[in-house]
Amino acid sequence: MAPYHHHVSTHHRTKRAKKVRKLSFFLVVLTFLFVGVVSFDWIATKLRSSTSVVSVESNATVQSSTINIFRTPFFQFQADDSWSEVPEVSTETKFVYKSLNGPLVEHQLTVFVNEKAPAKFAATRVFTTELDKGLFKKVSGTEKHCNTDEEGLKNEPKVVTFNQVTFNCDLGSNIFRVFVGIIGGTNEIAATRQNGETATYTIIYDDLTFLPSANQINSIMSTFQIR
């Protein structure tokens, strides 16, 4: 009977075990590398998507993670990301934007360009401004109602001069509606566009929240620019 070489069998088993351990280690390292690459790619994609700027045609709305930039041939402005254009009621000379909280409209901005606002439009406040190279500089705010007349309890609107702007004041209303008006002028603002042409702008803001304030109109007008 041939002798049994026990030490040879052990030697082969040891070599085989070493190979298995090396292969296992290599597979573990390869797995970690693969997971690392996938994780890095996922994080990089998230970062790119959160900081990307997307241009949408129509009135060229540019969206980012925190603001919207609304551009038309006549003007542009910035607002927070709750705002959007309302194309179904906008035209070539009337531009409407709304800020929503779920299904509720909380804020609205309407801009008429080279078109008179309907006669029924009257405001309770005025944002007095002056133009400087196509930019709007605030002169006075919207804190006070334009009704300073003892006869102001009547319901019909009345043309008044308030905060150095002449406009149609809604004397008996408590709605927070703001006209943007040029100091020493009216709420129909003539401005020179970038192409040298002159256009008229009527800017109307409504705050429909329970506790209205001037925060949104102040923010919008600080970025509003004639184009």
Side-chain angles (χ1 to χ4, degrees):
M1 177 182 290
Y4 175 68
H5 299 288
H6 179 73
H7 66 281
V8 174
S9 178
T10 302
H11 173 70
H12 284 293
R13 286 200 299 271
T14 302
K15 287 184 66 176
R16 188 162 53 249
K18 286 182 179 180
K19 288 182 180 179
V20 170
R21 284 197 296 271
K22 286 182 179 179
L23 181 60
S24 299
F25 178 77
F26 175 77
L27 290 175
V28 169
V29 171
L30 188 62
T31 301
F32 273 107
L33 287 174
F34 176 78
V35 171
V37 170
V38 171
S39 299
F40 177 81
D41 183 69
W42 181 82
I43 293 171
T45 302
K46 281 289 186 183
L47 289 174
R48 285 195 299 269
S49 63
S50 65
T51 58
S52 63
V53 175
V54 180
S55 179
V56 182
E57 290 302 323
S58 177
N59 282 331
T61 304
V62 179
Q63 298 178 323
S64 76
S65 58
T66 57
I67 63 169
N68 290 341
I69 303 175
F70 298 98
R71 292 194 181 101
T72 77
F74 301 98
F75 61 85
Q76 71 179 46
F77 68 90
Q78 295 181 16
D80 65 52
D81 58 3
S82 69
W83 283 84
S84 60
E85 184 193 0
V86 189
E88 58 268 25
V89 294
S90 298
T91 68
E92 292 182 353
T93 57
K94 175 187 174 184
F95 305 87
V96 181
Y97 307 89
K98 290 182 179 179
S99 170
L100 300 177
N101 182 4
L104 300 177
V105 178
E106 292 192 330
H107 309 274
Q108 179 169 301
L109 185 77
T110 305
V111 183
F112 292 92
V113 180
N114 293 331
E115 178 184 343
K116 286 185 176 294
K120 65 180 181 180
F121 272 84
T124 56
R125 289 164 172 79
V126 64
F127 180 99
T128 306
T129 186
E130 58 184 1
L131 275 171
D132 181 16
K133 297 178 181 178
L135 298 173
F136 288 76
K137 291 192 173 181
K138 178 181 174 182
V139 175
S140 63
T142 63
E143 293 80 11
K144 294 183 179 180
H145 196 298
C146 56
N147 177 8
T148 58
D149 194 327
E150 292 291 335
E151 300 178 357
L153 295 179
K154 295 180 181 180
N155 289 327
E156 64 270 15
K158 178 182 177 181
V159 176
V160 302
T161 298
F162 183 75
N163 283 353
Q164 304 183 68
V165 179
T166 300
F167 62 99
N168 205 22
C169 174
D170 200 349
L171 297 174
S173 175
N174 290 319
I175 296 175
F176 197 95
R177 171 169 286 173
V178 180
F179 280 149
V180 176
I182 198 76
I183 185 169
T186 71
N187 61 304
E188 291 185 8
I189 302 171
T192 303
R193 299 176 57 203
Q194 293 177 355
N195 62 5
E197 296 179 355
T198 299
T200 59
Y201 297 78
T202 301
I203 304 170
I204 305 166
Y205 164 77
D206 293 285
D207 188 328
L208 305 173
T209 61
F210 182 70
L211 296 173
S213 73
N215 292 340
Q216 288 281 350
I217 187 63
N218 287 341
S219 176
I220 288 172
M221 293 313 300
S222 70
T223 66
F224 202 98
Q225 183 176 9
I226 301 298
R227 300 187 70 202

